[in-house]
Amino acid sequence: MSTDPREADLVRRFQEGDLEAADALARKYTRVTVGLIYSSIGAVQESDDLVQEVFLEAQKSVKRLRDPARFPSWLYKITRRVCNRWVREHRRAPQHLETPEEVEQPPESEQSAGPTPGEIRRIVDRMPQALREVVYMRYFDSLSYERMAALLGISPSAINARLMKARKLLRSRLAPGIDRD
């Protein structure tokens, strides 16, 4: 999948040391990078520092990127490396972070019969990394299959397969014993 020609131009300018191009790319990719970080480590409070670390590593090594069209998947790999290093240093599995929905639950009489956003998030947080990251990209960052494929360096059909597997896993954990497929 090819990158937008304007983005490829930004990447080339970033490689030449253009700080405005670097800033434009950082603005474009910060949200998805934060989502990837959260899906990897589950700690929102750490994401700002780790995003900065990702973009600093990108700035240090951008000149070695041969194909500007590969920038999204290259940045994704840097993000994964930074997250893996953080997890190793902190020697812990991804943590579940309370969401506002979990903290401020209405009384049981006002709750619907369906799962709460907090319950869904807890289940997603416990999914394998490959499934968790596509769920976050699709449903929390609203990325298209094509954009996710470019970031992860896999095909849109592989994205679809991972999302189908994640949805099946989610259904099985929300309603054990009920198979809807």
Side-chain angles (χ1 to χ4, degrees), residues 58-73:
Q59 188 170 11
K60 289 177 188 175
S61 61
V62 71
K63 289 181 181 179
R64 291 189 299 249
L65 176 64
R66 291 186 192 128
D67 181 5
R70 303 282 303 152
F71 181 81
S73 60

Side-chain angles (χ1 to χ4, degrees), residues 6-132:
R6 293 175 303 233
E7 183 172 308
D9 181 56
L10 279 175
V11 173
R12 280 191 278 288
R13 289 177 30 219
F14 180 31
Q15 290 176 311
E16 294 166 1
D18 184 334
L19 296 179
E20 287 181 18
D23 188 49
L25 288 166
R27 280 193 311 273
K28 180 174 184 175
Y29 285 98
T30 293
R31 180 180 167 103
V32 71
T33 303
V34 168
L36 287 169
I37 290 169
Y38 182 81
S39 75
S40 294
I41 69 169
V44 170
Q45 66 274 18
E46 301 292 335
S47 60
D48 286 340
D49 291 339
L50 292 177
V51 166
Q52 287 180 7
E53 192 172 330
V54 166
F55 286 106
L56 282 172
E57 283 195 26
Q59 188 170 11
K60 289 177 188 175
S61 61
V62 71
K63 289 181 181 179
R64 291 189 299 249
L65 176 64
R66 291 186 192 128
D67 181 5
R70 303 282 303 152
F71 181 81
S73 60
W74 175 80
L75 187 64
Y76 165 77
K77 288 174 187 168
I78 292 173
T79 304
R80 287 294 299 268
R81 218 174 19 252
V82 166
C83 290
N84 290 340
R85 187 172 45 239
W86 187 90
V87 169
R88 266 193 321 274
E89 289 170 1
H90 292 82
R91 299 258 189 249
R92 64 181 196 191
Q95 298 293 310
H96 169 69
L97 184 67
E98 287 184 345
T99 60
E101 296 89 4
E102 294 173 272
V103 176
E104 300 174 16
Q105 290 291 326
E108 280 190 40
S109 61
E110 296 177 23
Q111 289 185 8
S112 68
T116 66
E119 290 170 322
I120 293 170
R121 189 176 291 260
R122 275 192 296 279
I123 292 168
V124 171
D125 286 349
R126 291 184 188 114
M127 288 181 178
Q129 175 73 26
L131 302 181
R132 188 171 58 239

Side-chain angles (χ1 to χ4, degrees), residues 142-168:
S142 303
L143 297 182
S144 69
Y145 282 38
E146 291 76 20
R147 190 72 180 145
M148 291 188 298
L151 285 167
L152 298 177
I154 59 177
S155 69
S157 62
I159 296 292
N160 187 45
R162 287 182 185 183
L163 283 169
M164 286 175 42
K165 189 172 182 178
R167 286 190 291 264
K168 185 175 182 177

Side-chain angles (χ1 to χ4, degrees), residues 164-178:
M164 286 175 42
K165 189 172 182 178
R167 286 190 291 264
K168 185 175 182 177
L169 184 60
L170 181 63
R171 278 193 303 271
S172 73
R173 291 186 178 166
L174 285 174
I178 299 175

